[in-house]
Amino acid sequence: MWTEEIVAGRPAWRHIPSGVVFREVPGGAFRMGLSEAELDAVRAIERSGGVEDTVDPFLVSAKDAQPVREVHVESFLLARHPLTVAQVQYWLPEYDDDYAEADTGTARLESDLEGLLELLPFDLPSEAQWEYAARAGTTTLTFHGDEKPDENQLLDDFGDETRTAAGENAFGLAAMGSTNELCADVWIPGFDGAPSDARPRTGDGPRTVRGGAADLYPWQGCDEWLLLLSATRYEHADFTAVRPAAPLPPL
């Protein structure tokens, strides 16, 4: 079912039936949520004149990603990038995508979403797993640092292997934050009472989404770069991408 190989110079696990490439995310602990240092970094970008509109709504919504707390994460597998159109068509042969320009582009699912989730032999990552993977050991706005992210960080087509490899973080994961990615957690504003062991919060209602800056490209000057931040979270409403997670294969 799984095979180990080297992809872009890094160890990877390939799911043999579908061909989806996964990276092993090492276990560890991290501070999850939007920290005061990150908020200060956003304010510094604003003071430097790097804001097109206003970050006030983002600052007001910061409480949805707080309080910051330490979370322990066990090792797991996470897809190298969101599922592409061609990969979704492995499970849903009739799937057609109105957003992607090629079958190597990120699949953005709407009416087909639940059908895919029923057939997918993988899990959705929990929010904690997703943010831990996105940060990849960093504590800054993105894994690139506290500078304002720009369009060069967007990646939603994986037909160019060189560009995909260049977009990977320290865990070998590409495009974290580019497209909105569905998590296993139900949407709950804030982290009061959230588990400290990376379990998803379950219940009724919409799920939580992370990322989404490429979904609004070309940017219209409304500070869409904020969606690239590792801690940005919001409620799923329309289309979404899927980046599956899985337990480590048995030895």
Side-chain angles (χ1 to χ4, degrees):
M1 188 66 71
W2 297 93
T3 182
E4 292 184 80
E5 56 186 78
I6 300 298
V7 175
R10 302 173 187 260
W13 288 91
R14 187 181 297 273
H15 181 249
I16 296 171
S18 65
V20 177
V21 172
F22 288 75
R23 300 290 195 191
E24 179 177 344
V25 178
F30 79 115
R31 300 283 292 171
M32 180 178 178
L34 192 57
S35 69
E36 289 303 319
E38 289 172 294
L39 290 175
D40 286 343
V42 171
R43 295 185 184 102
I45 292 170
E46 182 177 40
R47 289 195 300 272
S48 71
V51 171
E52 293 84 6
D53 190 3
T54 175
V55 296
D56 287 347
F58 176 80
L59 297 175
V60 169
S61 68
K63 63 183 182 300
D64 287 341
Q66 293 176 335
V68 175
R69 72 198 197 286
E70 183 167 288
V71 178
H72 295 263
V73 183
E74 299 292 333
S75 299
F76 66 102
L77 296 182
L78 188 64
R80 185 189 184 203
H81 53 70
L83 293 180
T84 65
V85 172
Q87 289 169 341
V88 168
Q89 287 172 341
Y90 172 80
W91 289 283
L92 298 174
E94 302 303 318
Y95 173 71
D96 185 40
D97 196 293
D98 294 330
Y99 303 101
E101 296 181 359
D103 62 5
T104 54
T106 299
R108 292 169 170 87
L109 295 118
E110 295 184 276
S111 60
D112 294 304
L113 176 61
E114 292 306 321
L116 175 67
L117 295 180
E118 289 176 3
L119 294 171
L120 207 61
F122 311 119
D123 303 317
L124 290 171
S126 71
E127 270 200 271
Q129 288 176 321
W130 193 97
E131 185 175 325
Y132 177 73
R135 291 186 180 279
T138 66
T139 58
T140 47
L141 291 177
T142 72
F143 74 90
H144 288 281
D146 279 331
E147 297 77 21
K148 177 185 173 180
D150 60 27
E151 291 92 337
N152 291 330
Q153 288 182 230
L154 298 181
L155 183 61
D156 68 348
D157 189 288
F158 307 99
D160 184 335
E161 175 55 32
T162 299
R163 188 164 186 264
T164 301
E168 292 180 336
N169 65 16
F171 290 163
L173 302 166
M176 298 296 290
S178 283
T179 50
N180 61 6
E181 297 183 18
L182 196 66
C183 294
D185 302 60
V186 68
W187 168 252
I188 300 173
F191 293 135
D192 286 326
S196 61
D197 60 359
R199 284 174 296 158
R201 292 189 285 181
T202 58
D204 296 327
R207 293 184 179 94
T208 301
V209 167
R210 295 298 193 108
D215 297 322
L216 300 176
Y217 189 78
W219 291 348
Q220 302 299 307
C222 299
D223 298 298
E224 294 93 337
W225 56 271
L226 291 163
L227 292 171
L228 275 166
L229 307 192
S230 298
T232 299
R233 62 189 297 265
Y234 54 101
E235 181 179 344
H236 173 237
D238 299 308
F239 61 79
T240 186
V242 171
R243 184 192 299 254
L248 295 179
L251 297 177

